[in-house]
Coordinates of all heavy atoms in Angstrom, one line a residue:
Chain Q
I164 N -77.6 -17.3 -26.4 CA -76.8 -16.2 -26.0 C -77.5 -14.8 -26.2 O -78.0 -14.6 -27.3 CB -75.4 -16.1 -26.8 CG1 -74.6 -17.4 -26.6 CG2 -74.6 -14.9 -26.4 CD1 -73.6 -17.6 -27.7
A165 N -77.6 -14.0 -25.1 CA -78.3 -12.7 -25.2 C -77.3 -11.7 -25.8 O -76.2 -11.6 -25.3 CB -78.8 -12.3 -23.8
F166 N -77.8 -11.0 -26.9 CA -76.9 -9.9 -27.4 C -77.9 -8.9 -28.0 O -79.0 -9.1 -28.4 CB -76.0 -10.5 -28.5 CG -76.7 -11.1 -29.7 CD1 -77.0 -10.3 -30.8 CD2 -76.9 -12.4 -29.8 CE1 -77.6 -10.9 -31.9 CE2 -77.6 -13.0 -30.9 CZ -77.9 -12.2 -32.0
D167 N -77.4 -7.6 -27.9 CA -78.2 -6.5 -28.4 C -78.2 -6.4 -29.9 O -77.1 -6.5 -30.5 CB -77.6 -5.2 -27.8 CG -78.4 -4.8 -26.5 OD1 -79.6 -5.1 -26.4 OD2 -77.8 -4.2 -25.6
H168 N -79.3 -6.1 -30.5 CA -79.4 -5.8 -31.9 C -80.7 -5.2 -32.2 O -81.7 -5.4 -31.5 CB -79.2 -7.1 -32.7 CG -80.3 -8.1 -32.5 ND1 -81.3 -8.4 -33.3 CD2 -80.5 -8.9 -31.4 CE1 -82.1 -9.3 -32.8 NE2 -81.6 -9.7 -31.6
D169 N -80.8 -4.4 -33.2 CA -82.1 -3.9 -33.6 C -82.3 -3.7 -35.1 O -82.8 -4.6 -35.8 CB -82.4 -2.6 -32.9 CG -83.8 -2.1 -33.0 OD1 -84.6 -2.8 -33.6 OD2 -84.2 -1.0 -32.5
C170 N -81.7 -2.7 -35.7 CA -81.9 -2.4 -37.1 C -81.1 -3.3 -38.0 O -81.6 -3.6 -39.1 CB -81.6 -0.9 -37.4 SG -79.8 -0.6 -37.4
R171 N -80.0 -3.7 -37.6 CA -79.1 -4.6 -38.4 C -78.7 -3.9 -39.7 O -78.4 -4.6 -40.7 CB -79.7 -6.0 -38.6 CG -79.9 -6.7 -37.3 CD -79.9 -8.2 -37.6 NE -80.1 -9.0 -36.3 CZ -79.8 -10.2 -36.1 NH1 -79.3 -10.9 -37.1 NH2 -80.0 -10.8 -35.0
E172 N -78.7 -2.6 -39.7 CA -78.2 -1.9 -40.9 C -77.3 -0.8 -40.6 O -77.1 0.2 -41.3 CB -79.4 -1.4 -41.8 CG -80.4 -0.6 -41.1 CD -81.6 -0.2 -42.0 OE1 -81.8 -0.9 -43.0 OE2 -82.3 0.7 -41.7
G173 N -76.7 -0.9 -39.4 CA -75.6 0.0 -39.0 C -76.0 1.4 -38.6 O -75.2 2.4 -38.6
I174 N -77.3 1.7 -38.2 CA -77.7 3.0 -37.9 C -78.3 3.2 -36.5 O -78.5 4.3 -36.0 CB -78.7 3.6 -38.9 CG1 -79.9 2.7 -39.1 CG2 -77.9 3.9 -40.2 CD1 -81.0 3.4 -40.0
C175 N -78.6 2.1 -35.8 CA -79.3 2.3 -34.5 C -78.4 2.3 -33.3 O -78.7 2.9 -32.3 CB -80.4 1.2 -34.3 SG -79.8 -0.4 -33.8
G176 N -77.2 1.7 -33.4 CA -76.3 1.7 -32.3 C -76.5 0.7 -31.2 O -75.9 0.7 -30.2
M177 N -77.4 -0.3 -31.5 CA -77.7 -1.3 -30.5 C -76.6 -2.4 -30.4 O -76.2 -2.9 -29.3 CB -79.0 -2.0 -30.7 CG -80.2 -1.1 -30.2 SD -80.0 -0.6 -28.5 CE -80.4 -2.2 -27.6
C178 N -76.1 -2.9 -31.6 CA -75.2 -4.0 -31.5 C -73.9 -3.5 -30.9 O -73.4 -2.4 -31.1 CB -75.0 -4.6 -32.9 SG -74.4 -3.5 -34.2
S179 N -73.3 -4.4 -30.1 CA -72.2 -4.0 -29.2 C -71.4 -5.2 -28.8 O -71.4 -5.6 -27.7 CB -72.8 -3.3 -28.0 OG -73.7 -4.1 -27.4
M180 N -70.6 -5.7 -29.7 CA -69.8 -6.8 -29.3 C -68.3 -6.5 -29.4 O -67.9 -5.8 -30.4 CB -70.1 -8.1 -30.2 CG -71.4 -8.7 -30.0 SD -71.6 -10.1 -31.1 CE -73.3 -10.5 -30.8
F181 N -67.5 -6.9 -28.5 CA -66.1 -6.7 -28.5 C -65.4 -8.0 -29.0 O -65.3 -9.0 -28.4 CB -65.6 -6.5 -27.0 CG -64.3 -5.7 -26.9 CD1 -64.3 -4.3 -26.9 CD2 -63.1 -6.4 -26.6 CE1 -63.1 -3.6 -26.8 CE2 -61.9 -5.7 -26.5 CZ -61.9 -4.3 -26.6
I182 N -65.1 -7.9 -30.3 CA -64.7 -9.1 -31.1 C -63.2 -9.1 -31.3 O -62.6 -8.2 -31.9 CB -65.4 -9.1 -32.5 CG1 -67.0 -9.0 -32.2 CG2 -65.1 -10.3 -33.3 CD1 -67.7 -8.5 -33.4
N183 N -62.6 -10.2 -30.8 CA -61.1 -10.3 -30.9 C -60.4 -9.1 -30.5 O -59.5 -8.6 -31.1 CB -60.7 -10.7 -32.3 CG -61.0 -12.2 -32.5 OD1 -61.2 -13.0 -31.6 ND2 -60.9 -12.6 -33.8
G184 N -60.8 -8.5 -29.3 CA -60.1 -7.3 -28.8 C -60.4 -6.0 -29.4 O -59.7 -5.0 -29.2
R185 N -61.5 -5.9 -30.2 CA -61.8 -4.7 -30.9 C -63.3 -4.5 -30.9 O -64.0 -5.4 -31.3 CB -61.3 -4.6 -32.3 CG -61.2 -3.3 -32.9 CD -60.6 -3.4 -34.3 NE -60.3 -2.1 -34.9 CZ -61.2 -1.3 -35.5 NH1 -62.5 -1.8 -35.6 NH2 -60.9 -0.2 -36.0
P186 N -63.8 -3.3 -30.5 CA -65.3 -3.1 -30.6 C -65.8 -3.2 -32.0 O -65.2 -2.6 -32.9 CB -65.4 -1.6 -30.0 CG -64.2 -1.3 -29.4 CD -63.1 -2.1 -30.0
H187 N -66.8 -3.9 -32.2 CA -67.4 -4.1 -33.5 C -66.6 -4.9 -34.5 O -66.8 -5.0 -35.7 CB -67.8 -2.8 -34.2 CG -68.8 -2.0 -33.5 ND1 -70.1 -2.5 -33.3 CD2 -68.8 -0.8 -32.9 CE1 -70.8 -1.6 -32.6 NE2 -70.1 -0.5 -32.4
G188 N -65.5 -5.5 -34.0 CA -64.7 -6.4 -34.8 C -63.6 -5.7 -35.7 O -63.4 -4.5 -35.5
P189 N -63.0 -6.5 -36.6 CA -61.8 -6.0 -37.3 C -62.0 -5.0 -38.4 O -61.0 -4.3 -38.7 CB -61.3 -7.3 -37.9 CG -62.5 -8.2 -38.1 CD -63.4 -7.9 -37.0
W190 N -63.2 -4.8 -38.9 CA -63.3 -3.8 -40.0 C -63.4 -2.4 -39.5 O -64.1 -2.1 -38.5 CB -64.6 -4.2 -40.8 CG -64.4 -5.3 -41.8 CD1 -63.2 -6.0 -42.0 CD2 -65.4 -6.0 -42.6 NE1 -63.5 -7.0 -42.9 CE2 -64.8 -7.0 -43.3 CE3 -66.8 -5.8 -42.7 CZ2 -65.5 -7.8 -44.2 CZ3 -67.5 -6.6 -43.6 CH2 -66.8 -7.6 -44.3
H191 N -62.8 -1.5 -40.3 CA -62.9 -0.1 -40.0 C -64.2 0.5 -40.3 O -64.9 0.1 -41.2 CB -61.8 0.6 -40.8 CG -61.8 2.1 -40.7 ND1 -61.3 2.7 -39.5 CD2 -62.2 3.1 -41.5 CE1 -61.5 4.0 -39.6 NE2 -62.0 4.3 -40.8
A192 N -64.7 1.4 -39.4 CA -65.9 2.1 -39.6 C -67.1 1.2 -39.9 O -67.9 1.5 -40.8 CB -65.8 3.2 -40.7
T193 N -67.2 0.1 -39.1 CA -68.3 -0.8 -39.4 C -68.9 -1.3 -38.0 O -68.2 -1.5 -37.1 CB -67.7 -2.1 -40.0 OG1 -67.0 -1.7 -41.2 CG2 -68.8 -3.1 -40.4
T194 N -70.2 -1.3 -38.0 CA -70.9 -1.9 -36.7 C -70.9 -3.4 -36.8 O -70.7 -4.0 -37.9 CB -72.3 -1.4 -36.7 OG1 -73.0 -1.7 -37.9 CG2 -72.4 0.1 -36.4
T195 N -71.1 -4.0 -35.7 CA -71.1 -5.5 -35.6 C -72.1 -6.1 -36.6 O -71.8 -7.1 -37.2 CB -71.4 -5.9 -34.2 OG1 -70.5 -5.4 -33.3 CG2 -71.4 -7.5 -34.0
C196 N -73.2 -5.5 -36.7 CA -74.3 -6.0 -37.6 C -73.8 -5.9 -39.1 O -74.3 -6.7 -40.0 CB -75.6 -5.3 -37.4 SG -75.6 -3.6 -37.8
Q197 N -73.0 -5.0 -39.4 CA -72.5 -4.8 -40.8 C -71.2 -5.6 -41.1 O -70.7 -5.6 -42.2 CB -72.3 -3.4 -41.1 CG -73.6 -2.6 -41.2 CD -74.6 -3.1 -42.2 OE1 -74.3 -3.0 -43.4 NE2 -75.7 -3.6 -41.8
L198 N -70.6 -6.2 -40.0 CA -69.4 -7.0 -40.1 C -69.9 -8.3 -40.8 O -70.8 -8.9 -40.3 CB -68.8 -7.2 -38.7 CG -67.6 -8.2 -38.7 CD1 -66.4 -7.6 -39.4 CD2 -67.3 -8.5 -37.2
H199 N -69.2 -8.7 -41.8 CA -69.6 -10.0 -42.5 C -68.5 -11.0 -42.3 O -67.4 -10.8 -42.0 CB -69.9 -9.7 -44.0 CG -71.2 -9.2 -44.1 ND1 -71.6 -7.9 -43.7 CD2 -72.4 -9.7 -44.7 CE1 -72.9 -7.7 -44.0 NE2 -73.4 -8.8 -44.6
M200 N -69.0 -12.3 -42.4 CA -68.1 -13.4 -42.0 C -66.9 -13.6 -43.0 O -66.0 -14.3 -42.6 CB -68.9 -14.7 -42.0 CG -70.0 -14.7 -40.9 SD -69.3 -14.1 -39.3 CE -68.2 -15.4 -38.9
R201 N -66.9 -12.9 -44.1 CA -65.7 -12.9 -45.0 C -64.5 -12.3 -44.3 O -63.4 -12.3 -44.8 CB -66.0 -12.3 -46.3 CG -66.6 -10.9 -46.4 CD -66.8 -10.4 -47.8 NE -67.5 -9.1 -47.8 CZ -68.8 -8.9 -47.7 NH1 -69.6 -10.0 -47.6 NH2 -69.3 -7.7 -47.7
A202 N -64.8 -11.6 -43.2 CA -63.6 -11.0 -42.4 C -62.9 -12.1 -41.7 O -61.8 -11.9 -41.2 CB -64.2 -10.0 -41.4
F203 N -63.4 -13.4 -41.7 CA -62.8 -14.5 -41.0 C -62.5 -15.6 -42.0 O -63.1 -15.6 -43.1 CB -63.7 -15.0 -39.8 CG -64.0 -13.9 -38.9 CD1 -65.2 -13.1 -39.0 CD2 -63.1 -13.5 -37.8 CE1 -65.5 -12.1 -38.1 CE2 -63.4 -12.5 -37.0 CZ -64.6 -11.8 -37.1
K204 N -61.7 -16.5 -41.5 CA -61.4 -17.7 -42.4 C -61.6 -19.0 -41.6 O -61.7 -19.0 -40.4 CB -60.0 -17.6 -43.0 CG -58.9 -17.5 -42.0 CD -57.5 -17.3 -42.7 CE -56.3 -17.5 -41.8 NZ -56.3 -16.5 -40.7
D205 N -61.7 -20.0 -42.4 CA -62.0 -21.4 -41.8 C -61.0 -21.7 -40.7 O -59.8 -21.5 -40.9 CB -61.9 -22.4 -43.0 CG -62.4 -23.8 -42.5 OD1 -63.4 -23.8 -41.7 OD2 -61.9 -24.8 -43.0
G206 N -61.6 -22.2 -39.6 CA -60.7 -22.6 -38.5 C -60.4 -21.5 -37.5 O -59.7 -21.8 -36.5
D207 N -60.8 -20.3 -37.7 CA -60.5 -19.2 -36.8 C -61.2 -19.4 -35.5 O -62.3 -20.0 -35.3 CB -61.1 -17.9 -37.4 CG -60.1 -17.2 -38.3 OD1 -59.0 -17.8 -38.5 OD2 -60.4 -16.2 -38.9
T208 N -60.5 -18.9 -34.4 CA -61.1 -18.8 -33.1 C -61.5 -17.3 -32.9 O -60.6 -16.5 -33.0 CB -60.2 -19.3 -32.0 OG1 -59.9 -20.7 -32.3 CG2 -60.8 -19.2 -30.6
I209 N -62.7 -17.1 -32.5 CA -63.2 -15.7 -32.3 C -63.6 -15.5 -30.8 O -64.5 -16.3 -30.3 CB -64.4 -15.3 -33.2 CG1 -64.0 -15.7 -34.7 CG2 -64.7 -13.9 -33.1 CD1 -65.2 -15.5 -35.7
V210 N -63.0 -14.5 -30.2 CA -63.4 -14.3 -28.8 C -64.4 -13.1 -28.8 O -64.1 -12.0 -29.3 CB -62.1 -13.9 -27.9 CG1 -62.5 -13.6 -26.5 CG2 -61.1 -15.0 -28.0
V211 N -65.5 -13.3 -28.2 CA -66.6 -12.3 -28.1 C -66.9 -11.9 -26.7 O -67.3 -12.8 -25.9 CB -67.9 -12.7 -28.9 CG1 -68.9 -11.6 -29.0 CG2 -67.5 -13.3 -30.3
E212 N -66.7 -10.6 -26.4 CA -66.9 -10.1 -25.0 C -67.9 -9.0 -25.0 O -68.1 -8.3 -26.1 CB -65.6 -9.6 -24.4 CG -64.5 -10.7 -24.4 CD -63.2 -10.1 -24.0 OE1 -63.0 -9.8 -22.8 OE2 -62.3 -10.0 -24.9

Side-chain angles (χ1 to χ4, degrees):
Chain Q
I164 301 161
F166 61 91
D167 264 328
H168 61 103
D169 191 3
C170 75
R171 297 208 180 194
E172 54 186 17
I174 54 172
C175 78
M177 277 309 283
C178 55
S179 52
M180 291 182 186
F181 203 82
I182 303 159
N183 281 348
R185 196 177 188 278
H187 296 299
W190 281 355
H191 176 71
T193 307
T194 53
T195 301
C196 63
Q197 294 298 297
L198 175 68
H199 280 65
M200 294 314 293
R201 56 182 173 272
F203 303 93
K204 57 184 191 301
D205 188 36
D207 275 358
T208 298
I209 308 171
V210 181
V211 187
E212 302 172 73

